Amino acid sequence: MQLQLDVNGERHALDLDPRTSLLDALRDHLGLTGSKKGCDHGQCGACTVIVEGRRINSCLTLACMHEGDEITTVEGLGAPDDLSPLQRAFVEHDGYQCGYCTPGQICSATAMLGEIEKGWPSNVTEDLEAQVEASIEEISERMSGNLCRCSCYPGIVDAIRQVAKEEAGA
Amino acid sequence: MSLETTRQLKHDTPDHDRRLDGMAQGVLGTDMDRPEGPLKVSGRATYAAESRPEGMAHGYLVRAATIGRITGSNAEAIRAMPGVLHVLEDERMIRNAAQGMAGQSPVQKQGQSWYVGQPVACVVAETFEQARHAAQAMMVTIEPDGTHVFDAEAEGAEIDTPEKKQVSQGDLDSAMAQAAFSIDHDYHTPSMSSAAMEPHASIAQWDDEGRVTLRGSYQLLRFNKNELADVLGVAPDKVRILSPYVGGGFGSKLGLAPEAVAAALAAQALGRPVRVVLHRRQVFETVTRRSETKQRIRLACDADGKLTGIGHENLVSQLPGEVFSEPVAQGTHFQYAAPNRVVGHNIARIRRSAAGSVRAPGEAVGVTAFEIAVDELAKSAGIDPLEFRLRNVPDKHPENGKPFSSSTMEATLREGARRFGWQHSQPRQRREGEWWIGTGMAGAVRVNMMIEAHARVVLTGTGARVECDMTDIGTGSYAILTQVAAEMLGFAPAQVETVLGDTDLPPASGSGGSFGAASTSTAVYLACMELRERLAAKIGVKETELTLKDGVATHENRQTPLAEVLGDEEWRALGHLKPGRAGREVRQATWGAIFAEVAVSDVTGETRVRRMDGTFAAGRILNLKTARSQCHGGMIWGIGLALTEALEHDPRDGHMVNRDLAEYHLPVNLDVPQLGVHFIEERDDWANPLQAKGIGELSICGAGAAVVNAIENACGVRVRRLPATLDQVMEGLIAQG
Amino acid sequence: MRAFDYIRAGDTAQAVREGAGQETRFIAGGTNLLDLMKLEVMAPERIVDITRLDLGGIEETQDGGLRIGALVTNSDLAADARVRRGWPVLSRALLAGASGQLRNKATTGGNLLQRTRCYYFYDRGEPCNKREPGSGCAAMGGTNRILAILGTSEHCIATHPSDMAVAMRALGARVEVEGQDGTREIALDAFYRLPADTPHIETVLAPGELITAVILPAPAGGRQIYRKVRDRSSYAFALVSVAAVVEVENGRIAKAQLAFGGLGPMPWRDAKVEKALVGEAPSPALFDRAADILLAEARGHGGNDFKIPLTRRTLAAVLSQATEAAA
């Protein structure tokens, strides 16, 4: 089927099998391979992209359901010579090793900080109605939908905390 | 281009020169960021499945749902499905991934399904969606070929007891009988998966000269090249493998896997590029897993807590026809001194999917169980488990009397304890609400290995390029090889480019067994040393008097920019490391100590790790940042081994039941506290001219025991069957009343 | 994944009309449906995309309750200020489920209709009466650590995987559905079916009927707790979970609404348990009696036997927490 996808500020016309997941459309049809396929079933988070400002698993949605949506992938967050603050912090804190889950971690973290800013609670939030802080525990819980088998969780948390602090100070 | 000269080292003797300590650039051993970092964090590093050659078709593997002889299939109907180009049922398909360093074809299909989940066909279609559906529609007829055993401990399991792998010294039975204190328990560790985040993927493309290029995700390219050539029946020079980025390996990508063979065969048959990516469920089943183990551990000590007897008798499982078996007691041979010793190694030939190397094969599960047993003995002897270990540090290899290349066991234990604030305590002393709080510790040990490696370094007046088929599976190869060359040749790291993951480049060690960094770094070191000699000769000084820094050669107070020395020339040197007697005359190992604090719910038996510290010694640390991350990784794998990870096999046919990432529980971010990692500065001259040893596996070898021991200290429940899931702990709590 | 016709519904009437067709499924969040379609555990021929329907939004009802549109995402529902204040057990249950990414996609209606996580249901190589009626149940005699102890039949021992639905059941929610014959409301208590000999039929929905909203009664007050016990600290399905709304007055339990996850083929609620608690002074003995009633018919299948004591202990801890501070 014919459809259009708006990715990283660009509109793309595609002719896709309706079965094509958003992830496969990005990777195999648009060449945006930054979004990774780790499990294809919403069980690892490597495919996380930001759609309409929200992080989602792009493997568990059909491309054809996202016509008109604003889609941001890791490529849209920054380039090697122009990294986003989170991307830079991941390098600095070694919040990755093999790098395969990393784009998903970074897309997830980017949107997650927005969720904290909006005051969304999490499963570890003591008081559902109080202000939420970007504490280690809050970050860890909110990032638990992104598996990392190299197990860089300490570096990931450090990187995100640094950016959260910078943003809070800004 | 100038000629390429080679410097070879046959590694027979220790290197006391420690030349790296005299280099001037000051980049080695720092916490330099990974040079490929910006590519990885921006999604521009391209992994195996991520190129799109013109005309690429898509293959999807078909799974055997039962065991037996393959007698037919509905391939004809499948060929008629939309988009289907080819149904591959080739006898050359492999039943499971090759074992690490096989260098030849793994066991091939031969009309058999050996285990439930074996790939038995591959359907190729124009699109991924078409191939996936057609593969799911494909049915292979399998005639049962008798009854099989699916559990190593079941009656009727065929057991191999290789003579070479049994040790008996002194008289353990008497030592046990006469011991002041002793323990004799069975410990179990589960079947486990590497579960690297990148599923195996291969894109194969043949050229007009009959040469196949495979973009794959592999750890040991020089071996993988020969494996693929052997499967295909072509000369090795007709195979090129590219793996510039590997999305995690942990042993699962040591050996050629079924998707690579299927892609190569299908691409050959169709005359167009074919991509085959394993579905996550196929990764679980067709790539080697870590064997479950049953470990009988007997320990005896005298009244002072001095070990008098050690028994470690193991049962592991393996599919018929595979040579590897989990070397459970690899660390036991030398970790602790005791005059009376028994090591037993038994392999049950059962029909679960093939077992193979998973991060730290042997010690990961062997040291873990052993360090739980040591904790149990220390407890019965009424001795602080830290102190107990300190009383049993060996001064030489306890079985064969060889010296240790370096022995840092005591130093890591003492320093680790100091950093953690270790205090011995009785169980069930601390409580916060419903949570019991406790601490535990364990020693860590891992053998150190070197294997043959080549690397080329190309020097120009303005920088250098390192080239070899080494892989970076997240371990930091790009970083450390860049650093070694930068340090030796006196350049800022930005002036050094490291090109890896291509079998057309010199064959390096590859990544596995923690040998990659030290082996390939040594090859780079040798190539750089060769270039330094040539520079010195050209300038007219002795190499040892040459200082290289920031692109300038300093010698007898004179400074010459390298650009001046080389002009437009490109100097090439090949370093070649050959392992030798240095690896045999001494016992080389890395050591560590791990401390953990846990909370255990008195209600549910859930365990949360609250604090965990590791102190390690592994010779020269080449990059503080990547080494620390490797240690984080191992410690977190230890948390997984202790608490969450287990492959469940169906009792009736051995198939993996929980073969996805929702039900095979890797630790998640919230399971892990901010870990402490500390290195003890060390130079191990026996290891190599860099005095560096492997660090990628050490921290998993015991980490799980620290957690399990902490559970006992918290709530009094001793778990001997890992992982310590909440049901086991809860049942222990109930039994205590 | 089988090829399907993709139909984007423009309004509810169209969705219901299209949805009544053979082998047709609605898709909204898609987080469970596509998961299962990729494995061909579900293989619809037609997919009706309902994400463009006007079924979002959370409105207050006249009696002080909430009407939650079927397309409201789990994230939005969990974060809704009214839910956090008045129905915190629902927020808690939602936040205990899945991951941030999945909650951003999963919808209120879809969450109620999640299929089981049984290993054998997910495995087309194995018999499963839920997936293929009459083929048998491989979970019996197989690996069943995560499976049900209550409400099972010889044909199926699957559990319902939702957290949200457990809290909604404790809260006495109702489901608003639209079908070709119009709109009706179904109490969540009557929404799910036990497996008996038709485990493939999980709810009372007729073909084509579309969940349009979930209605919560006015805030129940009391102490609200959702406790989820699982194999890792986050991003895992419940082994056992307890949703509790408990009120203590003058030292006696005045209200007890309890629902359980991980125990049965549906979010489990047992009026007998609540009846035994109401009017009594909280005590460990009372909680134990409540567990006796809840678990009277419980049956383990080997691997999941531990759920019986685990439920007993978790229930006691939840009731103790719910009653002590308020007492």
Side-chain angles (χ1 to χ4, degrees):
Chain A
M1 62 188 289
Q2 309 278 337
L3 65 123
Q4 293 187 328
L5 289 181
D6 297 332
V7 186
N8 301 330
E10 272 182 57
R11 175 156 296 184
H12 302 269
L14 289 164
D15 185 6
L16 294 179
D17 187 318
R19 290 174 285 186
T20 311
S21 68
L22 176 59
L23 176 63
D24 287 334
L26 294 169
R27 283 170 65 80
D28 289 347
H29 298 271
L30 297 176
L32 292 167
T33 56
S35 307
K36 304 300 184 194
K37 187 184 283 191
C39 70
D40 215 15
H41 288 268
Q43 299 163 356
C44 78
C47 67
T48 304
V49 300
I50 303 169
V51 175
E52 295 289 289
R54 296 192 170 198
R55 52 177 171 157
I56 66 164
N57 300 109
S58 63
C59 72
L60 279 190
T61 191
L62 298 171
C64 59
M65 295 173 73
H66 291 283
E67 269 195 297
D69 285 350
E70 191 183 302
I71 300 162
T72 304
T73 70
V74 72
E75 291 94 340
L77 296 178
D81 55 358
D82 181 25
L83 298 176
S84 77
L86 266 169
Q87 289 170 324
R88 266 202 309 279
F90 268 66
V91 174
E92 187 184 329
H93 292 278
D94 216 34
Y96 64 101
Q97 293 190 63
C98 80
Y100 198 76
C101 74
T102 312
Q105 300 276 359
I106 289 171
C107 283
S108 189
T110 301
M112 182 276 288
L113 289 176
E115 292 168 5
I116 290 182
E117 205 172 286
K118 279 190 281 186
W120 286 12
S122 84
N123 196 41
V124 298
T125 308
E126 286 282 328
D127 179 350
L128 282 180
E129 296 180 72
Q131 180 93 28
V132 197
E133 301 286 333
S135 65
I136 290 174
E137 196 186 19
E138 283 285 356
I139 291 169
S140 292
E141 158 60 17
R142 290 162 193 262
M143 291 302 293
S144 282
N146 290 85
L147 302 184
C148 174
R149 185 51 155 174
C150 296
S151 304
C152 306
Y153 301 129
I156 291 168
V157 170
D158 283 341
I160 297 171
R161 281 183 82 204
Q162 176 181 308
V163 173
K165 276 187 201 154
E166 283 167 9
E167 285 182 359
Chain B
M1 192 181 297
S2 74
L3 95 160
E4 178 166 296
T5 53
T6 299
R7 172 167 296 224
Q8 193 190 79
L9 171 69
K10 178 130 188 314
H11 187 38
D12 288 330
T13 53
D15 181 318
H16 300 300
D17 291 347
R18 303 189 182 180
R19 289 299 310 281
L20 278 164
D21 288 325
M23 296 295 153
Q25 191 65 32
V27 295
L28 195 66
T30 65
D31 64 349
M32 186 188 93
D33 294 342
R34 294 167 198 260
E36 82 285 12
L39 292 178
K40 284 181 173 172
V41 300
S42 65
R44 266 69 164 196
T46 47
Y47 296 78
E50 298 176 353
S51 57
R52 290 188 292 167
E54 183 75 32
M56 182 171 80
H58 299 260
Y60 201 93
L61 295 181
V62 176
R63 161 185 192 267
T66 58
I67 295 170
R69 277 209 70 73
I70 300 166
T71 55
S73 76
N74 64 344
E76 208 158 315
I78 301 303
R79 278 187 202 101
M81 290 180 69
V84 173
L85 299 165
H86 187 55
V87 177
L88 186 75
E89 294 179 286
D90 201 297
E91 295 282 298
R92 289 173 293 175
M93 287 182 73
I94 56 176
R95 69 170 189 189
N96 51 257
Q99 297 295 341
M101 302 168 80
Q104 58 185 19
S105 168
V107 177
Q108 291 176 308
K109 184 165 72 96
Q110 295 163 340
Q112 283 280 126
S113 150
W114 290 84
Y115 64 94
V116 176
Q118 178 184 315
V120 288
C122 180
V123 180
V124 187
E126 290 288 351
T127 71
F128 168 70
E129 289 76 19
Q130 290 166 336
R132 177 176 58 189
H133 176 51
Q136 285 166 324
M138 181 150 176
M139 306 220 282
V140 175
T141 320
I142 296 169
E143 298 286 338
D145 60 355
T147 56
H148 300 293
V149 178
F150 304 102
D151 185 333
E153 293 181 63
E155 213 172 300
E158 186 193 324
I159 309 284
D160 290 352
T161 304
E163 209 172 306
K164 276 194 341 214
K165 294 187 175 169
Q166 320 298 320
V167 173
S168 180
Q169 293 182 342
D171 182 349
L172 179 61
D173 289 336
S174 300
M176 289 291 288
Q178 290 159 18
F181 305 99
S182 66
I183 60 114
D184 179 357
H185 294 298
D186 285 345
Y187 300 84
H188 288 84
T189 64
S191 180
M192 300 179 82
S193 175
S194 293
M197 294 311 298
E198 181 201 18
H200 292 57
S202 285
I203 298 173
Q205 186 166 17
W206 294 78
D207 67 17
D208 296 340
E209 275 80 57
R211 190 166 193 248
V212 63
T213 298
L214 188 103
R215 290 165 200 283
S217 185
Y218 286 101
Q219 297 177 229
L220 302 174
L221 297 196
R222 70 179 162 100
F223 296 96
N224 306 131
K225 172 176 151 171
N226 291 340
E227 286 153 10
L228 184 56
D230 193 21
V231 169
L232 299 172
V234 301
D237 65 2
K238 294 291 185 193
V239 174
R240 181 185 188 190
I241 300 183
L242 298 170
S243 296
Y245 295 100
V246 178
F250 318 110
S252 71
K253 293 168 180 170
L254 291 173
L256 192 75
E259 95 295 336
V261 174
L265 291 172
Q268 190 173 35
L270 288 170
R272 57 191 275 194
V274 173
R275 180 177 86 177
V276 181
V277 183
L278 292 186
H279 185 271
R280 174 56 62 182
R281 291 169 80 83
Q282 296 171 335
V283 176
F284 272 100
E285 284 190 319
T286 69
V287 174
T288 52
R289 65 190 170 89
R290 193 199 296 285
S291 169
E292 66 283 10
T293 70
K294 177 190 173 212
Q295 308 180 36
R296 181 189 181 195
I297 301 181
R298 285 181 286 170
L299 295 175
C301 70
D302 64 19
D304 296 329
K306 194 92 178 131
L307 281 166
T308 55
I310 289 174
H312 196 182
E313 292 153 284
N314 305 307
L315 176 66
V316 302
S317 81
Q318 182 58 291
L319 197 59
E322 297 293 315
V323 289
F324 171 88
S325 65
E326 182 78 23
V328 180
Q330 194 157 258
T332 310
H333 294 297
F334 64 91
Q335 190 183 2
Y336 292 105
N340 304 291
R341 313 175 73 86
V342 169
V343 170
H345 187 70
N346 303 286
I347 307 143
R349 298 288 170 182
I350 60 169
R351 297 302 186 95
R352 292 182 175 184
S353 70
S357 292
V358 175
R359 198 174 198 170
E363 290 94 323
V365 288
V367 174
T368 297
F370 203 87
E371 286 294 294
I372 297 170
V374 168
D375 200 68
E376 296 209 55
L377 182 62
K379 186 180 155 77
S380 31
I383 300 172
D384 175 350
L386 171 70
E387 176 58 29
F388 186 92
R389 287 173 171 87
L390 289 169
R391 290 182 195 177
N392 289 288
V393 174
D395 54 8
K396 58 180 187 294
H397 193 301
E399 273 176 21
N400 59 27
K402 285 181 186 175
F404 288 109
S405 63
S406 75
S407 179
T408 46
M409 177 172 169
E410 181 173 342
T412 53
L413 285 167
R414 290 195 189 282
E415 178 64 10
R418 189 188 68 76
R419 299 185 75 87
F420 184 77
W422 173 256
Q423 281 188 312
H424 179 46
S425 61
Q426 296 304 311
R428 292 170 76 90
Q429 298 296 309
R430 280 174 68 194
R431 183 110 181 209
E432 293 177 13
E434 72 170 59
W435 298 87
W436 294 106
I437 314 299
T439 54
M441 59 141 328
V445 66
R446 171 72 176 157
V447 294
N448 188 57
M449 289 174 274
M450 296 277 282
I451 73 163
E452 186 169 16
H454 296 77
R456 177 185 296 126
V457 177
V458 181
L459 178 69
T460 69
T462 55
R465 190 167 68 248
V466 177
E467 299 177 342
C468 59
D469 77 354
M470 182 60 183
T471 46
D472 189 331
I473 61 173
T475 39
S477 307
Y478 282 108
I480 60 160
L481 300 182
T482 299
Q483 286 171 286
V484 170
E487 190 67 49
M488 293 292 293
L489 299 174
F491 286 114
Q495 284 1 99
V496 177
E497 184 192 9
T498 296
V499 183
L500 304 178
D502 179 350
T503 55
D504 279 359
L505 299 174
S509 60
S511 307
S514 293
F515 54 62
S519 301
T520 301
S521 290
T522 298
V524 171
Y525 169 91
L526 293 169
C528 291
M529 195 52 88
E530 177 70 11
L531 292 166
R532 288 178 59 94
E533 293 272 14
R534 283 167 64 184
L535 281 170
K538 177 134 187 198
I539 294 167
V541 293
K542 279 163 70 178
E543 185 276 325
T544 48
E545 288 161 9
L546 186 68
T547 300
L548 298 177
K549 188 167 191 294
D550 296 328
V552 176
T554 305
H555 42 95
E556 294 165 346
N557 300 323
R558 279 187 296 134
Q559 297 204 319
T560 316
L562 290 197
E564 210 172 280
V565 183
L566 274 92
D568 293 336
E569 286 181 42
E570 236 187 36
W571 291 4
R572 303 157 75 87
L574 191 70
H576 179 196
L577 164 74
K578 286 180 80 161
R581 292 196 310 277
R584 298 191 295 271
E585 289 185 358
V586 292
R587 175 75 263 171
Q588 294 188 22
T590 52
W591 303 87
I594 295 157
F595 297 80
E597 178 182 297
V598 304
V600 181
S601 165
D602 189 53
V603 174
T604 62
E606 290 161 286
T607 298
R608 302 282 181 259
V609 179
R610 306 213 305 186
R611 202 152 68 88
M612 199 168 179
D613 264 14
T615 295
F616 305 102
R620 184 192 302 273
I621 299 301
L622 302 173
N623 181 313
L624 207 49
K625 192 172 275 184
T626 58
R628 190 170 54 225
S629 290
Q630 286 282 292
C631 292
H632 284 159
M635 289 163 73
I636 294 167
W637 277 57
I639 293 174
L641 175 59
L643 297 179
T644 63
E645 289 182 44
L647 283 172
E648 307 276 357
H649 294 265
D650 190 281
R652 297 157 300 191
D653 66 4
H655 84 269
M656 270 176 209
V657 176
N658 57 336
R659 54 185 194 278
D660 65 35
L661 292 175
E663 302 298 345
Y664 182 81
H665 293 126
L666 306 184
V668 296
N669 201 316
L670 189 63
D671 289 320
V672 179
Q674 294 303 88
L675 307 173
V677 168
H678 175 68
F679 296 110
I680 290 188
E681 190 64 38
E682 189 200 4
R683 301 281 183 265
D684 189 337
D685 292 341
W686 281 94
N688 46 54
L690 285 76
Q691 293 83 34
K693 293 186 280 193
I695 192 74
E697 298 172 313
L698 171 63
S699 59
I700 184 182
C701 305
V707 174
V708 172
N709 294 339
I711 292 173
E712 196 275 341
N713 181 255
C715 69
V717 177
R718 174 63 69 183
V719 178
R720 301 193 184 98
R721 187 179 287 272
L722 304 188
T725 47
L726 62 96
D727 44 318
Q728 281 199 76
V729 177
M730 178 193 69
E731 278 156 17
L733 290 165
I734 292 170
Q736 283 180 350
Chain C
M1 188 186 293
R2 194 206 285 196
F4 52 79
D5 290 331
Y6 171 78
I7 299 146
R8 190 180 288 161
D11 58 42
T12 309
Q14 187 203 350
V16 168
R17 199 166 56 244
E18 296 283 3
Q22 287 287 306
E23 298 291 323
T24 304
R25 292 278 166 176
F26 296 119
I27 190 166
T31 53
N32 192 212
L33 180 62
L34 290 171
D35 172 30
L36 291 165
M37 283 172 63
K38 286 180 184 193
L39 299 171
E40 299 200 1
V41 171
M42 293 175 76
E45 289 169 8
R46 302 166 75 241
I47 294 284
V48 180
D49 178 355
I50 58 167
T51 56
R52 317 254 161 168
L53 304 187
D54 189 19
L55 299 176
I58 304 170
E59 299 154 22
E60 284 151 54
T61 61
Q62 283 182 338
D63 62 356
L66 285 183
R67 183 182 180 281
I68 304 158
L71 290 177
V72 171
T73 64
N74 290 177
S75 302
D76 283 327
L77 186 55
D80 185 271
R82 293 160 294 186
V83 175
R84 283 149 77 177
R85 200 175 317 117
W87 297 267
V89 68
L90 178 57
S91 268
R92 290 285 181 201
L94 285 158
L95 295 170
S99 67
Q101 291 94 312
L102 289 164
R103 293 193 294 270
N104 275 340
K105 207 83 183 64
T107 63
T108 304
N111 191 315
L112 292 176
L113 298 178
Q114 276 180 88
R115 311 295 304 275
T116 181
R117 272 300 313 177
C118 177
Y119 312 119
Y120 298 95
F121 174 70
Y122 266 81
D123 193 337
R124 283 170 71 242
E126 300 288 321
C128 169
N129 290 320
K130 188 185 276 298
R131 191 183 63 245
E132 215 177 307
S135 61
C137 172
M140 302 276 194
T143 305
N144 48 43
R145 183 167 188 273
I146 63 174
L147 299 177
I149 55 170
L150 285 169
T152 59
S153 75
E154 60 183 306
H155 304 288
C156 186
I157 58 172
T159 51
H160 194 273
S162 173
D163 291 297
M164 180 197 84
V166 176
M168 283 182 169
R169 189 137 193 227
L171 290 168
R174 285 168 294 143
V175 185
E176 183 190 284
V177 304
E178 195 167 321
Q180 283 182 302
D181 303 329
T183 303
R184 61 174 179 144
E185 262 185 42
I186 310 164
L188 200 53
D189 282 339
F191 183 76
Y192 294 105
R193 290 172 42 136
L194 288 177
D197 55 4
T198 54
H200 58 293
I201 304 172
E202 294 166 354
T203 70
V204 299
L205 289 178
E209 268 189 319
L210 176 70
I211 298 176
T212 48
V214 172
I215 295 154
L216 296 182
R223 288 290 303 271
Q224 301 198 8
I225 293 167
Y226 187 75
R227 176 148 184 179
K228 179 174 180 177
V229 184
R230 47 183 157 176
D231 275 326
R232 61 186 176 194
S233 57
S234 188
Y235 202 19
F237 292 94
L239 290 166
V240 168
S241 71
V242 180
V245 180
V246 176
E247 201 161 356
V248 177
E249 273 175 24
N250 305 319
R252 294 193 176 267
I253 295 173
K255 175 189 285 183
Q257 295 170 213
L258 300 169
F260 303 85
L263 300 188
M266 61 172 72
W268 201 255
R269 189 169 176 185
D270 186 336
K272 297 190 297 296
V273 176
E274 299 171 14
K275 200 165 157 240
L277 290 167
V278 172
E280 302 293 325
S283 72
L286 177 69
F287 304 156
D288 220 33
R289 213 154 59 233
D292 285 342
I293 296 167
L294 173 69
L295 297 165
E297 310 272 303
R299 195 182 142 221
H301 303 272
N304 63 353
D305 292 351
F306 74 94
K307 284 191 175 184
I308 296 172
L310 180 61
T311 304
R312 176 178 297 277
R313 295 163 77 88
T314 308
L315 174 60
V318 167
L319 288 174
S320 161
Q321 185 192 346
T323 53
E324 70 191 2

